[in-house]
């Protein structure tokens, strides 16, 4: 398994990084392709492990996947095996997105339950209840969800008791082909949902309320194959901007939308960084700045994203004083703390709240990535730890950061990928 070797930076990060397409947005749209018979196209697709996993899920269903550089073509004309197996769904929860489109279009499907993940249980009850509200009959047997309906799904009203990106994606896709009107209340507001709504409208779906908590869908009998460009990855952008703050350097992220990370930019401002933005870029400049501790709570969009909780925590280790981070989305998403402590971090965790005593010297160690965003946090920490930090299990990082080492190199950091036993 590959490792990263991360020597401490000799000088603060300084430079520009072009942000890739948002993997979470692509995953939803790839599943949406199943709603139509024909060839759908997606552009601005990052080269990432998760795209390959979703392609494998679609291939098992009978789709053909092609495309060029940063483009995907999904031909659903052969889709007839209405099943997503455990082997794939367990490696990537978003595989579960095929559930809604398959039952809506074919009237039946069998999809493995995703199971938990490194930071605890992640239920799918709202995906299932939402589909039931549209008339699907849902049973769970032997670890698989079986969903069926007689004829078409029937439009209905569903109120999401908590804001859920994944459940909104699944139920919204299903509603586009349901008979009559569906009303989704307290739908998620994340930009990836807007990206999906745009794509579905391009396929011929009738959806009102884009960008609001209430989506009203008039179901149609048939959708056409889609074509659309993916929004930029706000989490990738935020992760690189953390690199500016933690090394007291300057990073400009381009080809992105600063509105998508407004809450994140506010945190950098609160820390004392100079933040500038344009229509498709943002810059954090921490050169010569006395960084200040902050108190941050993760929230659904437009709040501070849970996916940047770990990178921010690493960043706050470099900020003298006491910072606090509370994660209200995932109470247990803190496996990175034990690894950061191996570098000398002083962090206390009580419930879902971490208190970071920053500004203490860190020294390199062997550490291990436990999930995608935690792995970015460990690299950031490695940049300021004295000596060379070795990070294991970086396959997690490969799920979500395209060309990571090259982008880091463009900012002046050396992140070297090695395969133990294969050097020399
Ligand atoms: C998506 C993102 C993930 C991000 C998360 C929160 C993708 C592929 N993944 O994950 O990167 O961290 O949003 O922004 O886009 N919940 C339930 N029942 C459900 C579903 C969710 O109780 O059926 C709860 C979860 O436990 C969590 C909250 O709802 O507390 C939000 O989770 P959700 O938005 O669904 O996360 P994902 O869609 O899995």
């Amino acid at each position: 398994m590959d490792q990263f070797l991360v020597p401490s930076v000799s000088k603060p990060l300084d430079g520009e990084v072009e942000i890739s397409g948002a993997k979470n947005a692509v995953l939803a749209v790839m599943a949406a392709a199943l709603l139509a018979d024909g060839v759908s196209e997606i552009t601005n697709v990052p080269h990432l492990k998760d795209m390959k996993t979703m392609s494998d899920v679609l291939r098992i269903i009978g789709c053909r996947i092609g495309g060029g550089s940063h483009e995907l073509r999904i031909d659903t004309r052969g889709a007839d095996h209405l099943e997503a197996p455990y082997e794939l769904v367990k490696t990537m929860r978003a595989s579960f997105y095929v559930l809604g489109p398959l039952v809506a279009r074919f009237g039946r499907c069998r999809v493995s339950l995703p199971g938990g993940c490194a930071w605890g249980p992640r239920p799918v009850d709202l995906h299932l209840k939402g589909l039931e509200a549209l008339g699907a009959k849902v049973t769970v047997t032997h670890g698989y969800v079986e969903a069926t309906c007689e004829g078409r799904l029937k439009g209905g009203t569903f109120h999401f008791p908590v804001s859920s990106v994944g459940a909104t994606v699944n139920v919204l896709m299903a509603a586009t082909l349901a008979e009559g009107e569906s009303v989704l209340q307290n739908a998620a507001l994340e930009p990836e949902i807007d990206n999906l709504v745009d794509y579905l409208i391009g396929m011929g779906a009738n959806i009102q309320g884009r960008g609001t908590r209430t989506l009203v869908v008039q179901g149609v009998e048939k959708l056409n194959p889609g074509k659309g460009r993916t929004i930029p990855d706000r989490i990738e952008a935020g992760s690189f901007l953390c690199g500016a703050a933690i090394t007291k350097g300057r990073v400009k992220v381009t080809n992105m939308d600063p509105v998508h990370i407004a809450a994140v930019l506010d945190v950098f401002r609160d820390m004392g960084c100079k933040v500038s933005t344009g229509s498709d870029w943002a810059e954090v400049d921490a050169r010569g700045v006395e960084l200040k501790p902050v108190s941050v709570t993760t929230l659904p969009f437009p709040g501070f994203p849970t996916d940047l909780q770990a990178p921010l925590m690493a960043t706050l280790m470099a900020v003298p004083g006491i910072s606090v981070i509370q994660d209200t989305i995932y109470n247990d998403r803190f496996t990175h703390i034990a690894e950061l402590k191996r570098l000398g971090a002083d962090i206390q965790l009580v419930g879902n709240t971490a208190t970071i005593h920053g500004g203490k010297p860190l020294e390199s160690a062997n550490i291990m990535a436990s999930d995608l965003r935690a792995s970015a946090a460990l690299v950031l920490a490695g940049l300021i730890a004295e000596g060379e930090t070795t990070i294991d299990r970086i396959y997690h990082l490969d799920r979500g950061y395209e060309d990571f080492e090259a982008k880091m190199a463009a900012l002046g950091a050396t992140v070297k990928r090695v395969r133990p036993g294969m050097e020399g």
Side-chain angles (χ1 to χ4, degrees), residues 299-423:
L299 289 168
F301 191 83
F304 190 93
T306 173
D307 283 351
L308 285 173
Q309 180 254 106
L312 179 70
M313 190 177 301
T315 306
L316 293 174
M317 298 188 326
V319 180
I322 300 175
S323 293
V324 177
I325 305 185
Q326 183 186 25
D327 198 326
T328 68
I329 309 291
Y330 291 114
N331 291 334
D332 304 323
R333 191 177 198 173
F334 291 108
T335 47
H336 44 283
I337 292 181
E339 302 303 310
L340 295 175
K341 282 186 171 178
R342 287 178 55 76
L343 302 176
D346 183 351
I347 303 173
Q348 277 84 47
L349 180 67
V350 178
N352 66 351
T353 305
T355 304
I356 303 115
H357 298 259
K360 313 241 163 118
L362 303 177
E363 53 182 31
S364 61
N366 259 59
I367 50 179
M368 189 174 81
S370 52
D371 69 66
L372 166 55
R373 305 303 167 187
S375 55
L378 300 189
V379 174
L380 289 167
L383 295 177
I384 56 161
E386 187 60 41
E388 187 174 71
T389 297
T390 305
I391 307 175
D392 285 328
R393 302 200 178 174
I394 55 158
Y395 58 84
H396 289 293
L397 185 132
D398 293 334
R399 288 188 48 203
Y401 292 90
E402 183 180 35
D403 289 338
F404 185 73
E405 301 102 288
K407 289 183 180 183
M408 275 294 185
L411 299 175
T414 312
V415 176
K416 192 172 165 205
R417 184 182 294 259
V418 296
R419 189 159 294 176
M422 301 287 283
E423 295 107 300

Side-chain angles (χ1 to χ4, degrees), residues 111-132:
V111 177
S112 169
L113 280 170
C117 75
W119 71 78
R122 288 177 72 185
V124 287
D125 56 317
L126 302 179
H127 299 236
L128 306 187
K129 285 180 185 146
L131 292 177
E132 281 174 338

Side-chain angles (χ1 to χ4, degrees), residues 266-324:
D266 281 344
V267 170
F268 288 121
R269 281 189 195 98
D270 291 347
M271 288 166 72
C273 302
K274 192 170 159 238
V275 175
S276 330
T277 56
S279 61
D280 64 350
W281 60 270
E283 181 180 280
V284 169
D285 190 348
R287 291 172 299 182
V289 167
E290 284 296 319
L291 292 174
K292 291 179 288 201
V294 289
S295 192
V296 175
T297 300
T298 69
L299 289 168
F301 191 83
F304 190 93
T306 173
D307 283 351
L308 285 173
Q309 180 254 106
L312 179 70
M313 190 177 301
T315 306
L316 293 174
M317 298 188 326
V319 180
I322 300 175
S323 293
V324 177

Side-chain angles (χ1 to χ4, degrees), residues 133-158:
L134 302 184
K137 189 165 171 285
V138 177
T139 52
V140 180
T141 41
H142 303 292
Y144 276 76
V145 175
E146 290 182 11
T148 55
C149 63
E150 292 289 334
R152 286 167 68 190
L153 290 171
K154 304 278 177 295
T157 296
F158 187 68

